[in-house]
Amino acid sequence: MRVSIDSATCQGHGRCYDLAPDLFGEDEEGYATLTALTADGEVPAGREGDVRLAAANCPESAVLVHEEARL
Amino acid sequence: MTVDDRFTEEARQQRIAESQLGTVNEIITGPVKDWTTDFSHFEEEYAENAIQIWDDLRGRCPVAHTERFGGAWLPTRYEDVQAIAYDTEHFTSRAIIISNVRPPLDIAPVGFAPPISSDPPFHHDARKLLLPAFTKANVAKQAVTTEAFCHSLIDGFAGRDVVDAATEYGMYIPMRVIADMLGFPQEDTEKFTRFVENVLEGANDPIEERQERGMALSNYLFEQVRDHIDNPRDDLTTYLLNAELYGQKLEPQHVVGTMTLLLIAGIDTTWSAIGASLWHLAKNPEDRKRLVEDRSLRPKAVEEFLRAYAPVTMARLVKEDVELGGVQMKKEDWVLLPFPAANRDPERFERADEVVIDREVNRHAAFGLGIHRCVGSHLARMELTVALDVWLDRVPEFSLEDPAAVRWSAGQIRGPRALPLRIG
Ligand code: HEM
Ligand code: HEM
Ligand code: SF4
């Protein structure tokens, strides 16, 4: 699974970094960032649920989840 | 260093004069005849039954209208509220509290209290100035003093069986926090009570009364500004005095407008959220017991209280004629933006009319949507969390003393203004 932040729609509500503070962070203005764990856009194994939860709670739908077909 | 000479008597008078301009219409009060064609959020019926009114309207007239206030609309579906919040082409924030005065057209895009009253492109620049002070990491620094303050309020309840959780607890917490951040004297808290009192509820009052209240607040802020110019310190007021936009210090009206905004926007809102949450728990002993016993549930419960009892409805003015939700809106019509009604739309939320304290998926809009997302949302969440934590840990047993004595505010900010609770 891959994840990214749509910085054009993120308004800094912070639901993503409230719910998964190791997967999402805030920049100095409160907008969402990826973290060391997600910097390459890859969701660490076993953390797919947390990413989906963050996406489902973002009021602006700015956490973009890219599900991949299972091989 | 040059003397800061922006905050002259002239600037103070200018602020008062500006607040008196605008297009005035006749004030209409009295019971609502029909909520679809004559709504008014200032009537007692709305204070008591807003939730039922929204649910009823959403089903049969999703964009209601009134001739009051010189013409206004009330959408209740999530998708319509969202569309308006996102559409800054057709809707201006030149005014965000409905009253009987439409501020003059030429105050856009800055408006009376940037950034809430501002439109793009100026809005973003004014907002950017505030964002760093209000990040989650920065507001966390206020948590320790907030917690100590909540404890001191509860210490004050010693020996009493009944306390008013609205006026003796919830109200003081945001006042104290924002006064600390702006660097105002702690002993002035009582003054803020008067500035904020009935503001939301008072927007339908005679214009002279509103101006008098506004003047008292303006005078106080100019006093604080002068004191901070003489004695700069590490707080938001000094920060705003030194802040620059486009290579220049801010206009005096911008500084005082933003201070007004921070003071007013942070107090009734958070007070309402704390009160509504305690009201819910006083009425629902099972939810109360679960939260007392299981702290890990509390963050989800806080979000659910924000969804179900969202305190803030904003407003816009129509900038260009536009069709929305099947109605034709005309330039200069008011439009309410009831985030609380959007949060209860069953199209958008499962079990929308129930309070589910462990709700997992909660994409609520209590702090707005789009470019005006509440700058204070991280601060408000911190205050609400600390206020509930301290209360639940210190006062695990409480119930409504007299349900009939609970009074909810009318107007755009909704929350309990009288909330007598039996404690212990
Ligand atoms: C539970 C408490 C609060 C709620 C529900 C709330 C809600 C809102 C909402 C819905 C907006 C959007 C306005 C719009 O779309 O026109 C807003 C804006 C704003 N709020 Fe809050 N608020 C709360 C607490 C606070 C606090 C504590 C502060 C700061 C001290 C604050 C400062 C602001 C500011 C500065 C804006 C304007 C943002 C902009 O226009 O860019 N709010 N608030
Ligand atoms: C939270 C509940 C709020 C209450 C009770 C409230 C109340 C008031 C009141 C009483 C005034 C003075 C208007 C008058 O003359 O009567 C006022 C003005 C203003 N409020 Fe609020 N306000 C609230 C929220 C907000 C929010 C969330 C914002 C922006 C975020 C905001 C921005 C302003 C601005 C900019 C003004 C000056 C505009 C004017 O009165 O012409 N208010 N508000
Ligand atoms: S929850 Fe959404 S809007 Fe908020 S910071 Fe995260 S991505 Fe941005």
Side-chain angles (χ1 to χ4, degrees), chain B residues 303-420:
Chain B
E303 293 307 315
E304 179 65 347
F305 295 145
L306 284 167
R307 180 192 73 85
Y309 307 113
V312 178
T313 292
M314 279 289 128
R316 300 286 187 262
L317 282 165
V318 177
K319 198 153 101 182
E320 301 287 344
D321 293 4
V322 63
E323 201 212 297
L324 195 126
V327 303
Q328 230 15 78
M329 296 180 177
K330 291 267 177 264
K331 188 172 172 178
E332 291 295 278
D333 284 349
W334 291 104
V335 186
L336 277 175
L337 214 47
F339 297 112
N343 281 349
R344 287 178 167 270
D345 184 347
E347 284 286 312
R348 193 69 189 200
F349 295 89
E350 282 172 32
R351 301 163 70 190
D353 57 346
E354 290 172 53
V355 177
V356 183
I357 58 168
D358 54 1
R359 192 182 285 273
E360 286 278 329
V361 173
N362 200 347
R363 195 176 269 174
H364 69 75
F367 292 108
L369 288 167
I371 63 167
H372 291 279
R373 185 273 300 170
C374 178
V375 166
S377 68
H378 302 288
L379 181 65
R381 282 191 165 102
M382 182 281 283
E383 292 179 40
L384 181 55
T385 303
V386 170
L388 289 181
D389 271 344
V390 172
W391 183 287
L392 290 172
D393 292 345
R394 296 278 309 270
V395 190
E397 297 286 332
F398 57 100
S399 56
L400 292 182
E401 164 65 7
D402 171 11
V406 176
R407 194 178 63 79
W408 290 75
S409 54
Q412 284 180 229
I413 314 299
R414 181 178 153 78
R417 293 293 173 264
L419 182 58

Side-chain angles (χ1 to χ4, degrees), chain A residues 4-7 9-19 24-26 30-33 54-55 57-64, chain B residues 373 378 381:
Chain A
S4 59
I5 302 290
D6 181 353
S7 56
T9 51
C10 170
Q11 297 292 349
H13 288 261
R15 299 295 298 130
C16 56
Y17 48 82
D18 277 346
L19 288 163
F24 304 97
E26 67 174 340
Y31 295 102
T33 59
N57 280 281
C58 171
E60 314 285 351
S61 299
V63 177
L64 307 179
Chain B
R373 185 273 300 170
H378 302 288
R381 282 191 165 102

